[in-house]
C-alpha cells in the first residue's frame, strides 16, 4: 500500500472557471514578492513581511534557498522556512514559497557549494556564445549554470525539494503556505540549446513517445512544436533533429521538454508527500529586444512552448508570467489560455495591471516584485487593500463572469464592458470634466492627475505611479455594482429600459474591512471614484 499525500487546505480547480480555494472557499493571493535576499535571515524576514502588511497585501511571496537549506549534503536546516511561516501567521498573511533550487533566472547561484564545486558529478551547461547575453554586461565574471540533463543534479534537487515539502507538511498544518513555486525562471541564456556532452547525448536520443503523441494530437491547437513537427515530415519517431529540425526554435522545444521534465520530477515527488498547489514562473519571451531563444531563457515556460510544459509537467497547477514588459495585457492573455488559471508571480508595481489581471483575466493572484520597496501611500497599496477586503465578492464574481476591468491607455479615452446584462461605458474622468466645463463656457487650464510614486525613496529601482485611469467593476446582482479605481466616469445602459443611478455609496477601508462612507450625490457624482487617489464605491441602479 502506498502512502497518501498529506491533504492541504489549498486547492486549484482543474477546469474553467478556475478558482483557488482554501477549505473549499474561493480565495485570492494579492500581494508582493520580497527581494531575493529578504528571506535569508530571520531579521530580514520579519522586516520585509511586516512591510507587506503595511501595503495592504494578504499574501507574501518569498524565496527558499537550496544553498541555505542544505549547506552539507543530506543535512537540512529549515529554520528560515519556520521564520517565514511564523511571521506570515503573525501578520495574517498567506505565504507562497519560491524554491530557488538549481535554477534562478537561468543560473545556478542558489545551488549549494557542494553541488557547484563538483563539475564531474554535476556537469555544467555549455553554450556557443553568439550574441550578447541578457541581464549581463561586458567583462562580467561567469555565473554557474548547471546542465538540466544531469541525472545526479535532478536527483539531488528533488531530494532537497522533498525535504522542504515534508517540512511544510509537518510545520504548517493550518495552511499558511498556499502554493510553492518550483525553481525560478528556468531555462538557458546565451544559446538556444545546451551544447555540453550530457546535453548532446539527450539531443541525439529519441524524442519521448508521449511528446510525439502530444504534438500529433489533431484536436490540439497549432503550436510552435506542431508546426516544426509538420515541417520536418510528421515523423512518429526519431531524434530531436529528425522530429523537430535543427533550428533555434527546434532547440527551444528540446530545452523546454528538458526543463519541464526536470521540474515535473521535483513537483511530482513533492506532491506525493503533500497535496499542495505548485507552479513554475516564466521569464517572458519573445519580447522587445529578445527575439531568439537564448536571449530569453531557452526552454523556460515562455509563451511559445507552454503546451510542451503542460505535457511535460502535469503535476503543476499553472505556469505564471513574470511581467516587466510594457504590454502587460498581451503577456497576461498569453498565459490566461483557458487551459490553466492565471497567476502573476512577479509584475512591475502598476495598479492598472493588478485590476486587469483580476478583472479581465480572472487571475487567482497577482504579485508586485520588490514589495519591500513599495510605498504604503501608493496606488498599488491602496488597490491591494481594497481588493483584499473585497476578496469574497471578487472571487464569487469571477465564477459568475460578473466582473470586468478597464485600463484606459493614453490613446484611449473610453471603453465599454458588459456585466450582468448592463453595458458600462467608462471614460477618463478628468478629460471628460474638462470638456464639460468648456461646453459650459468655463475656461480652465488642462487638468492633470498627480499620483504618488510606487516606490519608497532610495529604492534601487524606482517606479512612478500609474497615471492611467483604471478600475475594477464587480457586479453583485440586482443592478448593483462595486467599483474600485481612480479617475473614471461611468455610465450604465440596458437595451430595453432606461436606467438611472439610484444611489452611490462611498466605501472606506478601516482595519482591513470596508465600511460605508458618504452617500454621494450632486456634483460628487461627476466622479464616481476619486480623481486623485484610489477609492471604492457601491453603485445601485434603478430601471424606469
Amino acid at each position: 500500500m502506498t502512502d497518501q499525500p498529506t491533504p492541504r487546505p489549498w486547492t486549484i480547480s482543474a477546469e474553467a472557471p478556475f478558482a483557488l480555494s482554501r477549505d473549499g472557499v474561493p480565495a485570492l493571493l494579492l500581494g508582493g514578492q520580497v527581494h531575493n535576499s529578504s528571506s535569508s535571515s530571520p531579521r530580514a524576514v520579519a522586516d520585509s513581511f511586516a512591510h507587506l502588511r503595511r501595503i495592504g497585501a494578504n499574501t507574501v511571496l518569498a524565496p527558499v534557498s537550496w544553498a541555505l537549506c542544505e549547506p552539507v549534503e543530506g543535512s537540512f536546516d529549515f529554520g528560515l522556512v519556520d521564520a517565514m511561516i511564523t511571521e506570515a501567521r503573525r501578520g495574517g498573511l498567506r505565504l507562497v514559497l519560491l524554491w530557488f533550487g538549481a535554477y534562478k533566472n537561468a543560473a545556478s547561484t542558489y545551488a549549494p557549494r557542494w553541488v557547484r564545486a563538483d563539475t564531474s558529478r554535476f556537469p555544467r551547461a555549455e553554450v556557443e556564445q553568439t550574441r550578447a547575453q541578457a541581464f549581463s554586461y561586458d567583462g562580467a565574471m561567469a555565473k554557474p549554470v548547471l546542465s538540466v540533463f544531469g541525472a545526479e543534479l535532478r536527483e539531488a534537487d528533488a531530494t532537497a525539494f522533498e525535504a522542504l515539502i515534508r517540512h511544510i507538511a509537518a510545520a504548517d498544518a493550518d495552511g499558511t503556505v498556499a502554493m510553492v513555486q518550483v525553481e525560478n525562471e528556468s531555462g538557458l541564456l546565451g544559446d538556444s540549446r545546451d551544447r555540453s556532452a550530457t546535453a548532446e547525448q539527450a539531443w541525439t536520443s529519441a524524442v519521448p513517445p508521449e511528446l510525439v503523441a502530444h504534438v500529433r494530437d489533431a484536436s490540439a491547437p497549432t503550436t510552435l512544436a506542431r508546426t516544426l513537427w509538420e515541417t520536418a515530415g510528421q515523423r512518429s519517431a526519431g531524434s530531436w533533429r529528425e522530429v523537430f529540425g535543427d533550428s533555434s526554435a527546434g532547440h527551444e522545444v528540446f530545452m523546454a521538454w528538458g526543463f519541464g521534465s526536470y521540474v515535473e520530477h521535483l513537483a511530482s515527488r513533492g506532491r506525493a508527500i503533500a497535496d499542495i498547489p505548485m507552479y513554475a514562473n516564466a521569464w517572458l519571451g519573445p519580447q522587445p529586444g529578445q527575439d531568439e531563444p537564448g536571449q530569453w531563457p531557452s526552454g523556460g515556460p515562455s509563451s511559445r512552448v507552454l503546451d510542451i510544459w503542460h505535457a511535460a509537467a502535469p503535476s503543476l497547477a499553472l505556469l505564471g508570467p513574470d511581467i516587466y514588459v510594457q504590454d502587460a495585457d498581451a503577456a497576461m492573455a498569453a498565459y490566461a489560455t483557458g487551459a490553466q488559471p492565471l497567476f502573476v508571480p512577479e509584475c512591475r508595481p502598476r495598479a492598472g495591471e493588478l485590476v486587469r489581471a483580476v478583472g479581465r483575466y480572472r487571475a487567482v493572484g497577482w504579485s508586485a516584485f520588490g514589495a519591500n520597496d513599495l510605498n504604503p501611500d501608493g496606488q498599488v497599496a491602496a488597490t491591494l487593500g481594497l481588493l483584499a477586503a473585497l476578496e469574497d465578492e471578487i472571487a464569487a464574481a469571477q465564477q459568475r463572469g460578473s466582473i470586468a476591468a478597464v485600463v484606459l491607455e493614453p490613446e484611449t479615452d473610453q471603453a465599454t464592458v458588459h456585466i450582468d446584462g448592463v453595458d458600462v461605458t467608462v471614460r477618463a474622468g478628468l478629460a471628460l470634466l474638462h470638456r464639460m466645463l468648456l461646453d459650459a463656457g468655463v475656461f480652465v487650464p488642462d487638468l492633470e492627475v498627480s499620483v504618488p510614486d510606487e516606490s519608497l525613496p532610495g529604492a534601487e529601482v524606482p517606479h512612478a505611479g500609474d497615471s492611467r485611469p483604471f478600475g475594477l467593476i464587480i457586479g453583485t446582482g440586482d443592478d448593483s455594482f462595486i467599483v474600485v479605481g481612480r479617475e473614471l466616469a461611468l455610465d450604465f445602459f440596458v437595451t430595453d429600459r432606461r436606467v438611472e443611478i439610484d444611489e452611490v455609496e462611498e466605501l472606506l477601508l478601516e482595519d482591513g474591512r470596508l465600511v460605508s462612507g458618504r452617500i454621494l450625490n450632486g456634483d460628487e457624482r461627476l466622479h464616481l471614484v476619486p480623481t486623485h487617489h484610489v477609492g471604492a464605491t457601491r453603485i445601485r441602479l434603478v430601471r424606469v
Side-chain angles (χ1 to χ4, degrees):
M1 178 182 296
T2 58
D3 293 335
Q4 294 298 310
T6 301
R8 297 286 298 175
W10 292 92
T11 59
I12 294 182
S13 55
E15 297 179 353
F18 299 104
L20 173 72
S21 300
R22 183 177 190 174
D23 292 322
V25 178
L28 300 171
L29 303 179
L30 302 169
Q33 183 176 149
V34 299
H35 284 299
N36 294 161
S37 300
S38 297
S39 56
S40 63
S41 74
R43 175 63 180 272
V45 169
D47 290 346
S48 60
F49 282 35
H51 190 70
L52 264 292
R53 285 305 303 158
R54 285 194 288 272
I55 63 169
N58 71 8
T59 303
V60 56
L61 284 70
V64 178
S65 164
W66 184 12
L68 296 179
C69 291
E70 193 183 8
V72 176
E73 186 172 8
S75 179
F76 297 100
D77 180 358
F78 292 111
L80 288 170
V81 174
D82 291 336
M84 286 186 262
I85 293 173
T86 297
E87 292 299 332
R89 285 176 180 157
R90 179 174 290 138
L93 294 167
R94 296 145 183 181
L95 177 59
V96 176
L97 292 176
L98 317 175
W99 176 242
F100 285 13
Y103 299 101
K104 195 276 179 188
N105 288 25
S108 303
T109 57
Y110 282 80
R113 184 180 188 278
W114 56 269
V115 172
R116 290 179 283 108
D118 191 345
T119 56
S120 59
R121 182 180 171 194
F122 305 106
R124 300 294 181 92
E126 296 179 14
V127 300
E128 293 179 355
Q129 195 80 48
T130 58
R131 58 179 69 93
Q133 184 161 319
F135 215 63
S136 187
Y137 53 90
D138 290 341
M141 64 187 298
K143 293 180 181 178
V145 181
L146 297 161
S147 176
V148 74
F149 300 100
E152 290 213 45
L153 175 67
R154 186 176 73 163
E155 183 60 29
D157 201 350
T159 298
F161 188 71
E162 282 182 318
L164 169 65
I165 301 303
R166 191 173 293 110
H167 186 83
I168 293 170
D172 182 45
D174 65 346
T176 297
V177 178
M179 294 201 298
V180 174
Q181 177 182 292
V182 190
E183 307 297 340
N184 183 85
E185 292 186 356
S186 60
L188 180 74
L189 286 172
D191 201 347
S192 53
R193 71 175 177 90
D194 183 356
R195 313 278 178 166
S196 68
T198 304
E200 286 293 333
Q201 184 177 3
W203 173 248
T204 57
S205 298
V207 174
E210 59 268 34
L211 177 55
V212 175
H214 165 74
V215 297
R216 72 188 304 170
D217 183 356
S219 66
T222 299
T223 61
L224 173 67
R226 184 179 178 86
T227 299
L228 294 170
W229 173 73
E230 291 174 344
T231 301
Q234 302 186 29
R235 292 173 178 266
S236 59
S239 70
W240 289 89
R241 177 185 285 107
E242 291 169 335
V243 174
F244 295 109
D246 198 17
S247 66
S248 63
H251 298 169
E252 185 184 11
V253 170
F254 165 67
M255 295 300 296
W257 185 263
F259 277 104
S261 299
Y262 183 102
V263 167
E264 169 64 15
H265 187 71
L266 272 65
S268 62
R269 285 174 56 167
R271 292 196 62 193
I273 296 167
D275 191 14
I276 183 170
M278 297 180 185
Y279 72 94
N281 65 327
W283 175 328
L284 297 181
Q287 59 176 287
Q290 299 177 14
D291 53 11
E292 280 290 320
Q295 292 178 308
W296 73 88
S298 182
S302 66
S303 59
R304 306 200 311 178
V305 291
L306 291 180
D307 68 307
I308 302 297
W309 269 77
H310 285 306
S315 295
L316 298 180
L318 60 93
L319 304 169
D322 291 349
I323 304 177
Y324 299 97
V325 296
Q326 187 66 23
D327 190 359
D329 189 24
M332 292 184 204
Y335 285 78
T337 59
Q340 62 156 47
L342 177 66
F343 175 64
V344 181
E346 299 180 29
C347 190
R348 288 189 300 167
R350 304 188 79 192
E353 305 314 340
L354 167 53
V355 301
R356 196 198 304 266
V358 171
R360 181 173 299 176
Y361 297 109
R362 304 182 192 180
V364 299
W366 181 93
S367 167
F369 181 76
N372 338 34
D373 292 337
L374 286 185
N375 180 5
D377 296 320
Q379 295 184 113
V380 167
T383 308
L384 281 172
L386 289 168
L387 267 55
L390 287 164
E391 177 182 42
D392 291 345
E393 290 85 349
I394 293 170
Q398 286 180 329
Q399 292 298 296
R400 297 193 309 270
S402 302
I403 192 167
V406 174
V407 181
L408 295 179
E409 302 292 348
E411 67 278 5
T412 305
D413 60 2
Q414 74 176 59
T416 298
V417 295
H418 188 78
I419 303 174
D420 292 348
V422 177
D423 289 323
V424 187
T425 298
V426 183
R427 296 176 175 87
L430 274 181
L432 181 62
L433 177 60
H434 189 255
R435 292 199 300 270
M436 291 170 62
L437 290 172
L438 289 176
D439 291 343
V442 179
F443 175 77
V444 293
D446 286 342
L447 302 174
E448 293 184 1
V449 65
S450 176
V451 297
D453 289 342
E454 292 296 358
S455 48
L456 290 167
E460 188 169 333
V461 180
H463 292 280
D466 192 347
S467 61
R468 300 170 299 175
F470 65 87
L472 180 72
I473 307 170
I474 307 160
T476 58
D478 296 327
D479 285 340
S480 180
F481 301 84
I482 295 174
V483 183
V484 178
R486 182 189 54 72
E487 203 208 334
L488 295 180
L490 299 98
D491 292 282
F492 300 83
F493 305 94
V494 295
T495 56
D496 57 346
R497 297 281 296 278
R498 172 173 170 164
V499 295
E500 299 172 354
I501 289 179
D502 184 34
E503 183 180 79
V504 180
E505 176 189 7
E506 183 181 46
L507 301 176
L508 303 174
L509 189 63
E510 290 185 1
D511 298 323
R513 297 174 57 251
L514 286 179
V515 298
S516 296
R518 299 171 297 165
I519 301 299
L520 304 180
N521 210 325
D523 294 342
E524 280 76 20
R525 287 194 180 176
L526 294 176
H527 38 88
L528 295 176
V529 291
T531 300
H532 295 285
H533 66 273
V534 178
T537 54
R538 185 188 304 274
I539 302 167
R540 297 180 177 89
L541 306 178
V542 59
R543 302 192 183 211
V544 295

